[in-house]
Amino acid sequence: MKLEKYYPRTITKRHKQWSRILRCFGRFLDYYNTPPKDAAYWYGERALTGLIAAAGWKLNGWSLEEFTGLRWKGQQEKAAKGDAWVGLGKLDFTIEAKVRWPQSTSLNSWQNHVEKGIEEARQQLECLDPNYKARTTKTAVCYVVPEIHISKFSKERSEIISMFKNLPEVIHTTQTVAASYWYTQNPPKSKNQKDGKFYVYPGLIVVARFWGKI
């Protein structure tokens, strides 16, 4: 069973290239996923950024994941790693990414998770030494993987599924692009190791926000 998908409107050149990345990313999810037993999107930030980076090469561009660099901490520079560089066409992107796991079923709550994740990534981009982001589009990415208690998901399934399309529409701007991927039937489930309860992981939303200078 393949994921349902929602892709963004292409407003700018940045949107166009990220639309290509996100469509390829969606194909990779389908290649790997075997619901309800397994899904690539519940393995966290590094795994998902790896798929973004792989999309760069698949689309005849380039990428480099977990590149070594320098980051300012106060008045000192220290060794650090950026999450990825991706180049497509004439555009290159320096990416910092975060993952969030909302357990609520509120669209506002999901949006708040996005904004906090984007802001945290933006701060890391800002602290990155200029030599490691020069002449690139600085891009903060937030992966949203809702983690819904199984009883709540059973009661609110239709409302939750609708949010996978509604959230990308709400946050879409000339500076922000988002895509979503979800299962309408038989989504992956897993036991949370922290509380011992079962949760449903119906899908993933990817949000990217751009800055020319930061």
Side-chain angles (χ1 to χ4, degrees):
M1 180 176 61
K2 291 188 176 181
L3 289 153
E4 297 289 328
K5 304 175 182 73
Y6 171 86
Y7 293 115
R9 303 182 302 279
T10 55
I11 300 175
T12 67
K13 292 181 179 179
R14 295 169 181 173
H15 283 81
K16 181 178 180 179
Q17 298 296 16
W18 265 86
S19 179
R20 295 177 65 206
I21 291 170
L22 293 170
R23 287 175 185 274
C24 187
F25 176 88
R27 293 196 297 272
F28 290 160
L29 291 177
D30 279 329
Y31 295 160
Y32 180 89
N33 288 4
T34 53
K37 295 180 179 180
D38 201 7
Y41 57 73
W42 63 17
Y43 287 106
E45 174 193 317
R46 180 70 186 273
L48 292 169
T49 302
L51 295 182
I52 294 287
W57 291 108
K58 183 70 172 179
L59 296 167
N60 297 319
W62 65 274
S63 68
L64 192 64
E65 189 187 0
E66 287 284 298
F67 61 87
T68 300
L70 294 171
R71 202 182 302 277
W72 284 95
K73 292 186 177 181
Q75 299 299 313
Q76 294 184 324
E77 271 193 318
K78 296 185 177 181
K81 291 183 178 180
D83 286 336
W85 287 315
V86 177
L88 278 182
K90 296 181 178 180
L91 293 178
D92 297 331
F93 301 92
T94 299
I95 298 169
E96 288 289 349
K98 299 297 171 188
V99 63
R100 292 293 182 267
W101 308 84
Q103 294 186 346
S104 75
T105 55
S106 160
L107 185 63
N108 286 337
S109 175
W110 287 17
Q111 190 170 0
N112 287 336
H113 276 277
V114 168
E115 294 302 330
K116 290 179 180 179
I118 290 291
E119 177 56 22
E120 187 176 345
R122 187 200 66 79
Q123 289 177 12
Q124 290 189 332
L125 284 165
E126 187 174 27
C127 294
L128 190 65
D129 184 282
N131 289 326
Y132 296 92
K133 57 186 178 182
R135 298 178 297 280
T136 69
T137 297
K138 276 57 77 176
T139 308
V141 174
C142 184
Y143 307 113
V144 181
V145 185
E147 181 180 51
I148 311 300
H149 190 274
I150 193 166
S151 62
K152 183 181 290 187
F153 183 78
S154 297
K155 294 177 182 177
E156 304 179 42
R157 174 190 292 266
S158 60
E159 292 84 354
I160 293 168
I161 294 303
S162 68
M163 289 164 60
F164 279 91
K165 186 173 182 180
N166 292 340
L167 181 59
E169 292 178 345
V170 167
I171 61 180
H172 187 89
T173 67
T174 56
Q175 191 179 352
T176 304
V177 64
S180 54
Y181 316 84
W182 69 95
Y183 291 106
T184 56
Q185 295 180 350
N186 208 22
K189 305 174 183 66
S190 181
K191 186 177 182 179
N192 187 296
Q193 298 302 313
K194 294 181 179 179
D195 61 17
K197 298 178 181 179
F198 279 91
Y199 289 83
V200 178
Y201 299 80
L204 163 72
I205 299 169
V206 182
V207 182
R209 186 167 294 166
F210 316 113
W211 296 271
K213 295 182 179 180
I214 198 171

